[in-house]
Amino acid sequence: MRQTLGPKYRTDDAGFLISPSDWDEGFAIANARSAGIKGGLTDEHWTVIRFIRDTFEERGMVPLVYVTCMNFKMRLRDLKRLF
């Protein structure tokens, strides 16, 4: 069952955008709430999100979790704590 998050975010059954070009920060904020991130997205969240988005824009694919962790000198558990 496809769903709509607000007026412009059409997603598939798994919650992924049907059209990746529809992504904006509002989508991240809406998903943070539904994912149970209490208190909203922090600067730390946004730094990681923007890295992932920039990599996607440049390469057409998201970075590996390992690459994301290495880029921020964080452990996997730290990334899991954020998201």
Side-chain angles (χ1 to χ4, degrees):
M1 175 178 163
R2 291 182 178 166
Q3 57 183 333
T4 303
L5 288 171
K8 68 183 213 176
Y9 304 119
R10 293 182 322 119
T11 59
D12 64 15
D13 293 341
F16 294 101
L17 284 169
I18 292 172
S19 176
S21 64
D22 289 343
W23 190 92
D24 63 15
E25 291 186 357
F27 181 74
I29 292 166
N31 275 324
R33 287 187 205 123
S34 67
I37 296 175
K38 294 177 174 62
L41 297 170
T42 64
D43 289 341
E44 189 176 16
H45 288 103
W46 284 115
T47 300
V48 174
I49 290 167
R50 289 182 180 125
F51 169 76
I52 292 168
R53 289 298 307 168
D54 290 347
T55 301
F56 179 78
E57 290 294 319
E58 291 170 11
R59 300 185 182 160
M61 57 187 241
V62 297
L64 297 172
V65 171
Y66 172 80
V67 171
T68 302
C69 288
M70 293 303 293
N71 186 73
F72 294 105
K73 296 178 176 59
M74 61 175 34
R75 294 185 171 133
L76 179 57
R77 68 177 171 218
D78 300 325
L79 190 62
K80 286 181 176 182
R81 175 186 50 80
L82 280 176
F83 299 99

